[in-house]
Amino acid sequence: MERTLAIIKPDAVERGLVGEILKRIEDEGLRIVALKMVRMSKTEAEGFYYVHRERPFFSSLTDFMSSGPIVVAVLEGEEAIERWRRIMGATDPAQADPGTIRKTYGINIERNSVHGSDSPESARYEVPFFFSRLEMVNP
Ligand code: UDP
Ligand code: MG
């Protein structure tokens, strides 16, 4: 069993897509073991995306991610990290496979509706960034 962090980004929350995206997660057989809505400050968004601090899109990305509420969840399942990445699709919605969340709902490479940890290492940073052990349901 593996755990990964999922985020429904401000562009999707704003368009009322929370229910549809959570349903997709459950339909795919990933188990939601923690869930909440939060609004990150700019500083918190910079902390979350610290690995991207040197990238040209960092300032715009952290403005966007702190622009409105997000829904954060911890998903559990066999190969949850890779499975959630596949369900999301490529970073750029224009390049994403048909049927993926980013292809279906993403607006552009920045406002791409969802986030998922890309490795066990990033999940180990990202899950505790939002959730304490007490906030995650045990099997
Ligand atoms: N992003 C962007 N421009 C880019 C690449 C990424 O605005 O050229 C944003 C986008 O919202 C993406 C996030 O930065 O989801 C993190 O980038 P990463 O390369 O980690 O993509 P992801 O892991 O989300 O697919
Ligand atoms: Mg990433």
Side-chain angles (χ1 to χ4, degrees):
M1 278 296 171
E2 196 171 61
R3 286 179 170 183
T4 190
L5 185 84
I7 303 180
I8 305 176
K9 295 187 178 184
D11 68 286
V13 173
E14 187 177 79
R15 285 177 291 152
L17 297 170
V18 172
E20 282 174 59
I21 293 172
L22 292 178
K23 174 157 172 45
R24 177 70 184 275
I25 287 168
E26 294 189 318
D27 286 348
E28 295 278 356
L30 290 165
R31 204 163 78 92
I32 298 168
V33 297
L35 182 68
K36 64 185 167 187
M37 178 176 275
V38 297
R39 165 104 188 240
M40 283 197 284
S41 67
K42 171 82 169 169
T43 305
E44 287 161 348
E46 287 168 349
F48 182 74
Y49 281 115
Y50 183 74
V51 291
H52 290 321
R53 66 197 176 281
E54 310 290 353
R55 308 287 287 277
F57 56 82
F58 183 69
S59 172
S60 178
L61 171 64
T62 52
D63 278 344
F64 163 56
M65 289 300 289
S66 59
S67 69
I70 59 174
V71 170
V72 284
V74 180
L75 312 183
E76 185 182 81
E78 302 283 345
E79 319 241 308
I81 295 171
E82 177 53 31
R83 277 165 67 200
W84 175 233
R85 295 284 302 186
R86 262 203 311 273
I87 296 162
M88 291 199 305
T91 306
D92 183 354
Q95 311 291 326
D97 288 337
T100 61
I101 292 173
R102 283 167 164 174
K103 179 59 126 192
T104 306
Y105 301 121
I107 294 168
N108 56 43
I109 195 169
E110 177 180 87
R111 304 170 85 84
N112 57 5
S113 303
V114 281
H115 168 87
S117 308
D118 67 2
S119 64
E121 295 67 39
S122 65
R124 270 197 291 277
Y125 177 75
E126 293 177 358
V127 169
F129 188 92
F130 286 105
F131 294 100
S132 73
R133 281 181 53 175
L134 268 177
E135 293 175 300
M136 285 182 276
V137 175
N138 287 308

